[in-house]
Amino acid sequence: MSSFLRTTPESEGNDAEASSTEDGPVWTWSRNEIESYYRQGQCHYLAVAIRRATGLPLGALWNPFEWHVEPDENGEGGVPEIVHVYVVTPDGSVIDILGERSLEAMRISEAGPDWEACPYGPLTDERLMQLVEETGNLVPYDSSDIADADEVIRRTPELAKAVAAHASGSATPAAPRA
């Protein structure tokens, strides 16, 4: 389980009290809320922040049973639902809100009992933007979402350690899409 540092005076040392997800920046929320946020719909925000800090490629885990965009009558053109977006390290492990872990551990935790059936693979920056802008498979994001993710990385010891261990020295500077 991740351990998030919280530096607001009222929350210092008190991770048991949850902030409302409607109040304040993401990094001020409780550990559980932050994990849920970056595991249930906004994982690509964090993956983009990690990618920019490390230069490592993105990866995606897909749901083979659900379609975001149905294929046509010939079975072409469909877009399956994305289960999770993460960053892939050179040794094949992944980095996401739970830190650095094996691909198998991530697949099991994010896809549940059908994890072995879920395909996974590289996700290019271009394809990520298509999934955000064209198909609506992923929620749009802007620079404030990435800044929040950067702050979560900074305040999460094991995540900050994993990102620092893979920092390339030349972060990917692509601007976020609004």
Side-chain angles (χ1 to χ4, degrees), residues 19-29 148:
S19 303
S20 168
T21 55
E22 300 299 317
D23 297 332
V26 175
W27 50 267
T28 65
W29 301 351
D148 277 352

Side-chain angles (χ1 to χ4, degrees), residues 84-107:
H84 195 53
V85 177
Y86 50 90
V87 172
V88 182
T89 69
D91 69 2
S93 62
V94 301
I95 305 173
D96 65 4
I97 190 60
L98 298 181
E100 188 168 350
R101 55 192 174 143
S102 72
L103 176 63
E104 183 176 349
M106 183 275 301
R107 290 177 66 208

Side-chain angles (χ1 to χ4, degrees), residues 3 7 36 40 54 61 63 65 92 121 126 129 133 146 152 154 159 166 168 175:
S3 58
T7 59
S36 292
Q40 299 174 5
T54 63
L61 179 64
N63 181 344
F65 308 111
E126 179 182 80
M129 293 320 306
E133 296 172 351
I146 304 307
V152 167
R154 190 180 77 72
L159 188 53
H166 294 283
S168 65

Side-chain angles (χ1 to χ4, degrees), residues 3-72:
S3 58
F4 292 89
L5 295 179
R6 301 175 69 192
T7 59
T8 58
E10 56 274 271
S11 65
E12 188 92 24
N14 187 6
D15 241 357
E17 282 188 31
S19 303
S20 168
T21 55
E22 300 299 317
D23 297 332
V26 175
W27 50 267
T28 65
W29 301 351
S30 74
R31 177 186 70 231
N32 290 338
E33 288 175 318
I34 293 170
E35 284 185 9
S36 292
Y37 184 73
Y38 289 121
R39 291 177 76 190
Q40 299 174 5
Q42 288 73 28
C43 53
H44 59 296
Y45 299 178
L46 185 68
V48 167
I50 295 169
R51 173 169 169 51
R52 290 182 182 171
T54 63
L56 295 172
L58 298 174
L61 179 64
W62 303 88
N63 181 344
F65 308 111
E66 298 290 330
W67 293 91
H68 188 75
V69 175
E70 292 285 336
D72 65 18

Side-chain angles (χ1 to χ4, degrees), residues 78-143:
V79 178
E81 286 289 339
I82 290 184
V83 175
H84 195 53
V85 177
Y86 50 90
V87 172
V88 182
T89 69
D91 69 2
S93 62
V94 301
I95 305 173
D96 65 4
I97 190 60
L98 298 181
E100 188 168 350
R101 55 192 174 143
S102 72
L103 176 63
E104 183 176 349
M106 183 275 301
R107 290 177 66 208
I108 291 168
S109 75
E110 302 308 317
D114 294 323
W115 71 272
E116 290 180 295
C118 291
Y120 60 91
L123 181 63
T124 65
D125 292 338
E126 179 182 80
R127 182 67 176 140
L128 173 68
M129 293 320 306
Q130 288 174 338
L131 293 168
V132 170
E133 296 172 351
E134 295 174 19
T135 70
N137 197 315
L138 295 172
V139 180
Y141 62 93
D142 62 25
S143 60

